[in-house]
Amino acid sequence: MVKAVVLGAAGGIGQPLALLLKANPLVTELGLFDIVNTPGVAADLSHISTPAKVEGYLPPDDGLKKALTGADVVVIPAGVPRKPGMTRDDLFKASIYFTNIYDGLFLPSSQINAGIIRDLATGIATTAPKAFVLVISNPVNSTVPIVAEIFKKHGVFDPKRQVIGDLSLSKEIVVPVVGGHSGVTIVPLLSQSSHPLPSGFSKESLDTLVNRIQFGGDEVVKAKDGAGSATLSMAYAGAEFAAKIIRAVKGEKGIVTPTYVSAEVDPSGSAALAKELGEEVAYFSTNVELGTEGVTKIIPLGKITEAEQALVKAALPELLKNISTGVSFVAPPK
Ligand code: NAD
Ligand code: LMR
């Protein structure tokens, strides 16, 4: 029996993600929570003949608590997406820039991503503290630390269970993507691709490819022209990641995936990673192994090229800043 819950289930990512989870035969119960429209989404999905029993919840009458009760896996795509000209960091909390770019619409901080994630994480920590939490809401480099800090505040933090699935390029071509999830913090290790680059691939072509991967999200934001960011590809990646967690929890061995995790998850793996990075980072995206308890092992970067080492070095200052923004949102420095 597996209960999966989507928080933000009526949104651009939430709806196709809920559909993909409903299609997963391992999911037996699906809880859908949003501030709008979940009863309709749930009624629609319930007409699909797969095992999962679907229920939609709204904030009144303890809807969040009801949605989360008994949850095994919680996926969070709740929050505001980017418009052209915005960075993911602009989604963190209210700023003049944010309100202007949102057509003069004023959204109080509690309705922007950092506040949304803090409140949802509080709901999970108090109702389903053992659930695996997969955070999609941006800026991921900071929202994952927010979830962890809230769990710590409630004394239920388990670093194996707060994770995020990074976008992988496709099923056939696997490229580990390490670091974080915004601009220069996204570091593709093309030297470790399942399909090595052709010999004679020029430095210019390599730089162009790396830049395209780092700013692939912006490409979609631009093409959607104000209607948001990637939804369908993210829903697919989120559902795949949730499926990997469910398979691992059910005992499948050897599942390795790149994921943004707390370094506390595996002290020896973190130490090896810190040695490779020349710096200790509290959160880092790297290949991890999944087991019945969630993330069981951090796999160090391994052999990477000089150019990739330079990319990792360039990512660290931004990543450290993003992590500290998330941590101090919950626990301001004294
Ligand atoms: P969207 O606006 O279409 O959907 C967001 C949903 O969240 C809406 O249905 C909204 O009602 C809901 N919501 C808002 N406040 C809520 C709350 N307090 N509780 C529950 N639900 C709430 O946006 P989207 O395109 O689905 O994107 C959602 C988030 O995912 C954005 O922050 C976006 O930047 C992020 N994103 C991340 C990745 C990634 O790779 N990690 C990829 C794409 C998008
Ligand atoms: C993505 O990479 O597609 C997401 O982080 C959404 C965005 O804002 O680009």
Side-chain angles (χ1 to χ4, degrees), residues 81-84 220-222 224-230:
R82 284 196 284 169
K83 289 191 175 220
V220 180
V221 170
K222 199 165 162 222
K224 290 201 172 179
D225 197 19
S229 53

Side-chain angles (χ1 to χ4, degrees), residues 6-16 33-38 59 64 76-82 88 91 102 110-113 115-117 119-120 135-140 143 164-167 181 217 224 227-235 237:
V6 181
L7 306 180
I13 296 169
Q15 291 203 38
F33 176 81
D34 201 301
I35 51 173
V36 289
N37 299 341
T38 41
L64 180 60
I76 317 182
V80 187
R82 284 196 284 169
R88 293 178 182 85
L91 301 170
Y102 260 82
S110 62
Q111 287 173 32
I112 301 173
N113 299 0
I116 292 173
I117 287 296
D119 298 346
L120 294 176
V135 184
I136 293 174
S137 317
N138 272 314
V140 161
T143 50
I164 190 253
D166 256 352
L167 298 175
H181 181 68
K224 290 201 172 179
S229 53
T231 52
L232 303 173
S233 49
M234 182 60 240

